Amino acid sequence: METSVLIVEDEVAIVTLLRYNLEREGFRVYSTGDGEEAVAMVKDCKPDIVVLDWMLPSMSGVDICKQLRWSPETKTVPIIMLSARGEESDRIRGLNAGADDYIVKPFSPAELVARIRAVFRRFRPALSEKTLGFAGIKMDVAAHKITRDNVEVHLSPTEFSLLRYFLEHPNRVFSREQLLDAVWGHDIYVELRTVDVHVRRLRKGLDYDGKQPDLIRTIRSAGYAMSEAASDGTIEEDLGDELKE
Ligand code: CA
């Protein structure tokens, strides 16, 4: 089956250019310039990925992104946000709204295709059929299902891949660079702070009732680790380092 992309953008010239290039790469392309229609189309057409422009006439891309992340039906669809706003604070805002990646306009269609493929690598790596677990967290990789103490937890694709990487290597400390390489891939430029945003979203996602112990440790000047030991002397905690919202 063809991989499908929904382009949400009101500028016809951009849609035409992206459609042409994506179809040439073998993607099936849907498009709309309307926010509400976009949300309905994600439910109806079930695209494999959404390319979402920030600036739309009816509803902002950030609001659409939040809405897609809110509904269990659309929560797991990967989202790449497009924007002319290249400030770091805007990127962080886009990622905080739930986007998996962020591309600053102007960009080339080839870059978008590379980013789409990178997102797919990140959340569908070789479709392995295994179950991973740690401290009450269970991940069925093939079914894309996560439970914590038998309660189902919903994560967006990037958080899923990040959690998977931690579950595959518990009690090991990874630098932000190592996590970027492992989860995002080498060929994509992503700011290190992006890792902090996704770690925070992962923590939030795993804490399904606001009472769960945090298993992801922030290690001073080193990075992050998944560990049950709160402070056993081997892992130094430093939550002061974290990105504030
Ligand atoms: Ca636009």
Side-chain angles (χ1 to χ4, degrees):
M1 220 176 76
E2 289 168 304
T3 304
S4 55
V5 182
L6 170 63
I7 303 170
V8 186
E9 164 68 280
D10 57 310
E11 280 165 75
V12 177
I14 294 182
V15 176
T16 305
L17 178 71
L18 295 182
R19 175 184 287 278
Y20 171 77
N21 283 277
L22 289 168
E23 284 178 347
R24 214 175 48 168
E25 295 282 331
F27 293 97
R28 169 186 295 216
V29 178
Y30 304 104
S31 67
T32 176
D34 179 80
E36 278 176 37
E37 193 177 51
V39 174
M41 281 175 87
V42 173
K43 291 177 182 170
D44 295 342
C45 311
K46 304 201 182 315
D48 295 296
I49 191 162
V50 178
V51 175
L52 178 61
D53 188 42
W54 185 311
M55 297 299 283
L56 293 165
S58 52
M59 213 171 146
S60 88
V62 168
D63 289 336
I64 296 170
C65 195
K66 286 183 182 159
Q67 201 165 319
L68 290 173
R69 286 295 178 245
W70 185 255
S71 161
E73 245 183 302
T74 55
K75 183 156 193 164
T76 57
V77 69
I79 300 169
I80 297 181
M81 189 159 267
L82 305 179
S83 177
R85 306 164 71 140
E87 294 295 316
E88 194 187 17
S89 59
D90 291 320
R91 292 167 186 258
I92 300 290
R93 211 176 129 211
L95 295 171
N96 273 337
D100 293 286
D101 201 356
Y102 189 99
I103 304 183
V104 179
K105 289 178 174 178
F107 60 91
S108 71
E111 184 187 357
L112 177 66
V113 169
R115 296 266 185 163
I116 289 174
R117 296 204 191 287
V119 169
F120 285 150
R121 273 201 303 279
R122 204 142 96 207
F123 88 107
R124 297 197 303 202
L127 295 168
S128 62
E129 297 187 25
K130 55 179 171 179
T131 307
L132 297 165
F134 182 79
I137 296 172
K138 282 196 194 119
M139 173 184 279
D140 180 334
V141 178
H144 235 258
K145 194 178 159 185
I146 304 156
T147 56
R148 183 167 193 181
D149 304 328
N150 299 317
V151 178
E152 192 164 358
V153 164
H154 301 277
L155 299 176
S156 72
T158 303
E159 279 78 73
F160 184 94
S161 304
L162 194 56
L163 176 62
R164 178 180 169 170
Y165 194 70
F166 280 127
L167 290 173
E168 283 170 337
H169 310 91
N171 300 309
R172 267 185 59 189
V173 180
F174 294 102
S175 68
R176 289 169 177 80
E177 289 88 346
Q178 285 172 321
L179 291 172
L180 276 182
D181 276 355
V183 176
W184 280 258
H186 304 271
D187 50 344
I188 293 293
Y189 174 72
V190 183
E191 285 146 345
L192 289 179
R193 281 181 73 190
T194 302
V195 176
D196 301 321
V197 172
H198 287 283
V199 165
R200 193 176 58 243
R201 275 167 48 184
L202 174 58
R203 283 176 164 143
K204 213 165 155 184
L206 289 174
D207 190 7
Y208 58 85
D209 61 357
K211 296 173 190 160
Q212 298 302 306
D214 185 8
L215 296 172
I216 300 163
R217 310 270 152 228
T218 304
I219 317 297
R220 188 197 296 273
S221 67
Y224 295 102
M226 175 165 263
S227 162
E228 260 190 303
S231 52
D232 61 2
T234 55
I235 288 177
E236 187 185 358
E237 290 228 67
D238 180 15
L239 300 172
D241 234 24
E242 273 192 277
L243 187 65
K244 300 285 188 296
E245 214 157 354

